Amino acid sequence: MPNLLVVEDDAAIGSVLDSTLRLHGHQVCWRRDGRSALQAAEAGEFDLVLLDLGLPDLDGVEVCRRLRAALPAAVLVILTARQEEMDVVVGLDAGADDYLTKPIRLGELLARVRAHLRRGAPAGARPPVTIGGLTVDIAGRRATVGGREVVLRAKEFDLLARLAEQPGVAVSRETLMSEVWDAHWYGSTKTLDVHIAAVRRKLAACEPPPGTELPRIATLRGHGYRLEDPARTLAEG
């Protein structure tokens, strides 16, 4: 049974979330402020966190960062009344995997939760994929460069793994949103760009083994992204 942490200070909204999620088969730990949420995160293990940014005691973005550090494998979904793009980007940069704007539609919320938990489930036995100096172990959910793990958040790994499945093949934005997030995505695709940028930064910070290069994520304007195989690119050049 999935274990969810709900951080929501509004009693009416929190009560509805708590009862609805329990009704649909989830264990729920509901906390109404940032400090108690962080204490719960440090004391337990959670598969997914629903975090309201408007908390009474601590800055919601800072709570997001600290929850990400405490629960690196959990999916973190922001609940926010702030609909400006910059607010959403700040939340995603702070460690969130997804966001929902208020007022919350329960059908959409449940669909997102199901999609995130489904994509976070262990993969079957699939051999690791090596592209240049990067190895992506889809079954083990690990990406390594020269034997050192690249620390990726859940959706960052999912994106890299999806692109690594077909190196050199263009993958559309719609396909990535559908397969990594939700087949019925409602919101902006800005979250995709933020996560791609994060993967690029983390790969750029890695030192490839001697004699190898790391693959590059190319942007295909008006379409999507492609993971460039350095060996293939060199051969074609």
Side-chain angles (χ1 to χ4, degrees):
M1 185 180 294
N3 197 15
L4 277 56
L5 173 62
V6 174
V7 189
E8 171 60 67
D9 68 310
D10 186 295
I13 296 175
S15 178
V16 169
L17 292 176
D18 181 72
S19 59
T20 300
L21 291 167
R22 289 181 186 276
L23 183 64
H24 285 80
H26 304 297
Q27 297 183 73
V28 179
C29 174
W30 173 25
R31 294 293 181 266
R32 297 178 61 171
D33 60 70
R35 289 187 176 85
S36 64
L38 292 170
Q39 290 171 355
E42 292 170 359
E45 295 184 3
F46 296 93
D47 302 295
L48 185 143
V49 179
L50 296 175
L51 170 65
D52 177 23
L53 288 184
L55 298 174
D57 57 342
L58 300 175
D59 176 71
V61 174
E62 179 58 26
V63 173
C64 183
R65 292 193 182 96
R66 292 168 65 178
L67 284 173
R68 171 52 63 208
L71 301 168
V75 176
L76 208 164
V77 180
I78 286 175
L79 307 178
T80 178
R82 309 170 189 176
Q83 300 189 30
E84 293 298 325
E85 181 176 288
M86 185 52 63
D87 291 322
V88 172
V89 171
V90 169
L92 294 170
D93 280 339
D97 297 295
D98 193 3
Y99 69 94
L100 283 167
T101 55
K102 295 180 178 179
I104 298 167
R105 294 175 290 187
L106 289 177
E108 178 184 356
L109 171 69
L110 291 169
R112 294 280 189 95
V113 168
R114 286 194 301 269
H116 284 304
L117 294 175
R118 182 171 63 249
R119 287 167 175 80
R126 301 163 71 178
V129 177
T130 298
I131 307 165
L134 171 71
T135 297
V136 181
D137 180 357
I138 297 175
R141 294 188 63 81
R142 297 176 69 244
T144 55
V145 174
R148 294 187 175 182
E149 185 167 358
V150 184
V151 180
L152 299 170
R153 287 155 38 192
K155 293 303 177 188
E156 293 169 359
F157 178 85
D158 291 340
L159 276 175
L160 181 60
R162 176 60 183 85
L163 293 170
E165 287 178 342
Q166 295 177 291
V169 174
V171 184
S172 70
R173 296 176 67 86
E174 292 75 15
T175 296
L176 290 170
M177 293 304 302
S178 173
E179 296 185 7
V180 175
W181 275 271
D182 187 359
H184 303 287
W185 182 259
Y186 291 88
S188 165
T189 59
K190 184 65 179 178
T191 184
L192 171 60
D193 302 319
V194 172
H195 281 72
I196 287 286
V199 175
R200 283 173 169 157
R201 287 195 303 271
K202 292 178 180 182
L203 289 179
C206 297
E207 184 69 29
T212 67
E213 295 182 31
L214 292 179
R216 181 178 69 91
I217 301 176
T219 299
L220 308 176
R221 297 197 179 279
H223 182 74
Y225 296 95
R226 178 180 62 231
L227 189 65
E228 303 271 2
D229 185 336
R232 180 176 177 179
T233 303
L234 182 62
E236 291 176 348

